[in-house]
């Protein structure tokens, strides 16, 4: 097992299936142009092999499939179908939900029980101006269908001062009414935001989010697993919510995450754009490739921040949100 001096090890693998996305969210891309697949993305076989090697070499027991938008990747169905060969404790998907209804049968067939759906607003006009594409009603239908099939849904919402501050309570109430655990994600200083004043203006921190909620509801903090990225709260008689407080309460010291980009780059830290390509290694037969993968993982582990997320020009789409 690969353990660093702070006792951190890799447990969670986040796989970006594709950098392509059918949205062009303002905080993710600067110019409104929809994201395209990277050149030389891994093939279906390479991807499935990479995941198998990473799980074994890194001691991974939790997998999250993300992107870009994973549900638009032609590799989505094959990856899901290949996962039951691996001994994983948990498999989850992060999606913008636009194609959720269509993909629910594949998700159910693969035995996946957990989904995170991104939803920054319940206002149709604001939705279009944040995502610069898509249709809110379609996302909401997808969520209802996933719930009806018994899937556990979480909603991700990024509070942005100039875009959805008025939506923080409506989204919470939408989630509480459906027994969905909402995760507010503090805006991360990544990609084009890294060199842009709009980051400071748009950032909404945990204290402010809690103040808004506290004006209407009583809440108290509850325990979260040690390597959890979210601070979790309970509203008695209503339900739970969490805040991924990467700025207000950094979680680097207990981070167990490892990221694989769609073109075969390994990232040990969201706050470091240095990456290691595993494309060549995927030509090696099993089990020789395991030893080489472990060498890569040792180097990736050294990239982890010790204390706090410092921001990076790497864009979330490349390395998997
Ligand atoms: N397309 C999928 C989706 O929309 O959920 C998966 C990829 S997206 C990069 C994953 C998550 O990262 C989304 O919930 C998105 O809101 C969040 N995200 C992207 N850029 C972010 C940023 N700069 N700060 C905080 N969250 C961000």
């Amino acid at each position: 097992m690969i353990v660093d001096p702070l006792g951190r090890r890799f447990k969670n693998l986040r796989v970006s299936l594709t950098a392509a996305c059918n949205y062009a969210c303002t905080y993710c891309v600067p110019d409104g142009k929809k994201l395209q697949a990277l050149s030389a993305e891994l093939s279906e076989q390479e991807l499935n092999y990479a995941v198998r090697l990473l799980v074994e070499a890194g001691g991974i027991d939790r997998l999250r499939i993300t992107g870009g938008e994973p549900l638009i990747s032609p590799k989505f169905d094959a990856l899901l179908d290949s996962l039951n060969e691996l001994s994983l404790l948990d498999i989850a998907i992060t999606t913008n939900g636009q194609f959720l209804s269509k993909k629910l049968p594949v998700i159910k067939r693969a035995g996946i029980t957990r989904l995170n759906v991104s939803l920054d607003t319940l206002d149709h006009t604001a939705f279009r101006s944040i995502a610069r594409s898509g249709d809110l009603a379609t996302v909401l239908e997808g969520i209802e269908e996933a719930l009806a099939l018994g899937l556990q849904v979480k909603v991700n919402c990024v509070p942005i001062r100039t875009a959805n501050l008025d939506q923080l309570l409506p989204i919470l109430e939408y989630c509480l009414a459906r027994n969905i655990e909402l995760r507010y994600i503090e805006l991360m200083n990544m990609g084009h935001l890294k060199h842009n004043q709009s980051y400071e203006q748009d950032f909404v921190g945990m204290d402010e989010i809690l103040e808004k909620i506290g004006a209407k509801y009583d809440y108290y903090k509850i325990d979260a697993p040690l390597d959890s990225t979210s601070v979790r709260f309970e509203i008695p008689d209503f339900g739970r919510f969490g805040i991924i407080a990467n700025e207000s309460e950094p979680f680097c010291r207990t981070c167990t995450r490892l990221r694989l980009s769609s073109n075969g780059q390994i990232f040990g830290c969201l706050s470091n754009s240095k990456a290691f390509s595993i494309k060549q290694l995927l030509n090696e037969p099993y089990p020789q490739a395991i030893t080489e993968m472990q060498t890569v993982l040792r180097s990736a582990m050294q990239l982890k921040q010790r204390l706090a997320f410092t921001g990076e020009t790497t864009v979330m789409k490349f390395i998997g949100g």
Side-chain angles (χ1 to χ4, degrees):
M1 193 185 294
I2 297 155
V3 185
D4 83 350
L6 294 183
R8 296 177 292 191
R9 70 177 191 87
F10 291 125
K11 275 166 73 177
N12 291 265
L13 173 63
R14 300 170 94 90
V15 175
S16 174
L17 262 195
T18 177
C21 189
N22 50 320
Y23 286 7
C25 297
T26 49
Y27 51 83
C28 198
V29 290
D31 51 12
K33 288 194 193 123
K34 284 194 193 136
L35 304 166
Q36 305 300 320
L38 294 172
S39 60
E41 293 211 334
L42 296 179
S43 69
E44 202 174 286
Q45 291 74 14
E46 285 174 324
L47 179 76
N48 296 357
Y49 189 38
V51 171
R52 177 181 172 201
L53 292 175
L54 284 166
V55 166
E56 292 186 26
I60 301 290
D61 53 25
R62 288 163 201 276
L63 178 71
R64 179 168 293 276
I65 300 164
T66 176
E69 173 48 39
L71 271 52
I72 64 170
S73 167
K75 289 173 271 182
F76 182 74
D77 297 14
L79 177 66
L80 260 58
D81 287 339
S82 75
L83 293 177
N84 56 11
E85 290 160 18
L86 305 175
S87 46
L88 290 163
L89 292 178
D90 183 57
I91 305 170
I93 299 170
T94 303
T95 173
N96 61 33
Q98 203 59 230
F99 295 103
L100 187 52
S101 298
K102 196 173 145 213
K103 287 294 178 184
L104 277 171
V106 188
I107 293 170
K108 270 301 259 189
R109 185 177 75 214
I112 290 172
T113 56
R114 297 203 313 112
L115 294 176
N116 284 48
V117 182
S118 300
L119 185 64
D120 294 328
T121 177
L122 291 169
D123 178 278
H124 290 261
T125 312
F127 179 93
R128 290 287 299 189
S129 68
I130 297 171
R132 298 192 277 210
S133 186
D135 171 53
L136 173 62
T138 310
V139 177
L140 299 180
E141 272 165 38
I143 292 176
E144 297 297 344
E145 286 175 31
L147 290 171
L149 283 174
L151 289 164
Q152 189 202 328
V153 178
K154 284 185 183 160
V155 159
N156 290 352
C157 168
V158 182
I160 306 158
R161 187 169 310 285
T162 54
N164 64 356
L165 204 57
D166 63 331
Q167 291 291 303
L168 303 192
L169 270 184
I171 291 194
L172 177 66
E173 287 167 345
Y174 165 89
C175 290
L176 292 172
R178 289 162 181 78
N179 202 19
I180 291 174
E181 202 164 314
L182 173 63
R183 290 276 184 271
Y184 298 102
I185 309 178
E186 283 185 353
L187 187 63
M188 292 184 198
N189 197 357
M190 298 188 72
H192 69 101
L193 300 179
K194 176 78 180 151
H195 300 298
N196 198 319
Q197 278 186 342
S198 72
Y199 175 75
E200 309 293 335
Q201 287 157 14
D202 276 333
F203 178 81
V204 182
M206 178 157 72
D207 288 351
E208 190 173 343
I209 298 168
L210 289 175
E211 205 179 292
K212 281 197 173 292
I213 295 169
K216 186 154 178 194
Y217 297 100
D218 289 332
Y219 65 83
Y220 61 90
K221 198 168 169 180
I222 56 172
D223 284 344
L226 191 62
D227 67 343
S228 165
T229 52
S230 67
V231 187
R232 296 176 75 211
F233 301 90
E234 170 108 24
I235 302 180
D237 302 328
F238 287 98
R240 293 177 171 181
F241 68 97
I243 302 179
I244 302 189
N246 29 277
E247 293 290 325
S248 307
E249 250 182 61
F251 39 81
C252 299
R253 286 188 73 87
T254 53
C255 176
T256 56
R257 279 160 193 75
L258 173 69
R259 288 179 159 83
L260 172 66
S261 72
S262 54
N263 62 349
Q265 305 263 322
I266 292 286
F267 290 84
C269 177
L270 200 55
S271 192
N272 194 325
S273 55
K274 189 163 166 42
F276 303 91
S277 175
I278 56 164
K279 258 211 135 169
Q280 280 298 109
L281 183 163
L282 298 175
N283 297 324
E284 300 288 329
Y286 182 91
Q288 286 92 313
I290 291 276
T291 316
E292 288 188 36
M293 190 65 96
Q294 280 169 333
T295 308
V296 173
L297 292 181
R298 270 186 215 102
S299 305
M301 180 59 95
Q302 285 169 18
L303 300 179
K304 281 202 180 298
Q305 293 283 330
R306 294 184 79 80
L307 291 175
F309 183 82
T310 53
E312 193 39 89
T313 49
T314 314
V315 186
M316 191 79 93
K317 68 184 186 206
F318 288 136
I319 64 178

Coordinates of all heavy atoms in Angstrom, one line a residue, residues 86 97 190-191 301 312:
L86 N -14.5 -6.0 -10.6 CA -13.6 -5.4 -9.6 C -14.2 -5.4 -8.2 O -15.5 -5.3 -8.1 CB -13.3 -3.9 -10.0 CG -12.8 -3.7 -11.4 CD1 -12.7 -2.2 -11.6 CD2 -11.4 -4.4 -11.6
G97 N -27.0 15.5 -15.5 CA -28.4 15.0 -15.4 C -29.1 15.2 -16.7 O -30.3 14.7 -16.8
M190 N -10.1 27.6 -9.8 CA -9.4 26.8 -10.8 C -9.6 27.3 -12.2 O -10.5 28.2 -12.4 CB -10.1 25.4 -10.8 CG -9.9 24.6 -9.5 SD -10.5 22.9 -9.7 CE -9.3 22.2 -10.8
G191 N -8.8 26.8 -13.1 CA -9.0 27.2 -14.5 C -8.9 28.7 -14.7 O -8.1 29.4 -14.2
M301 N 1.4 10.6 -5.3 CA 1.1 10.8 -3.9 C 1.9 12.0 -3.4 O 1.4 12.8 -2.5 CB 1.5 9.6 -3.1 CG 1.2 9.7 -1.6 SD -0.5 10.0 -1.2 CE -1.2 8.4 -1.0
E312 N -5.4 26.2 -9.0 CA -4.6 25.7 -10.1 C -5.2 26.1 -11.4 O -6.4 26.3 -11.4 CB -4.5 24.2 -10.0 CG -3.4 23.5 -10.8 CD -2.1 24.3 -10.9 OE1 -1.2 24.1 -10.1 OE2 -2.0 25.0 -11.9

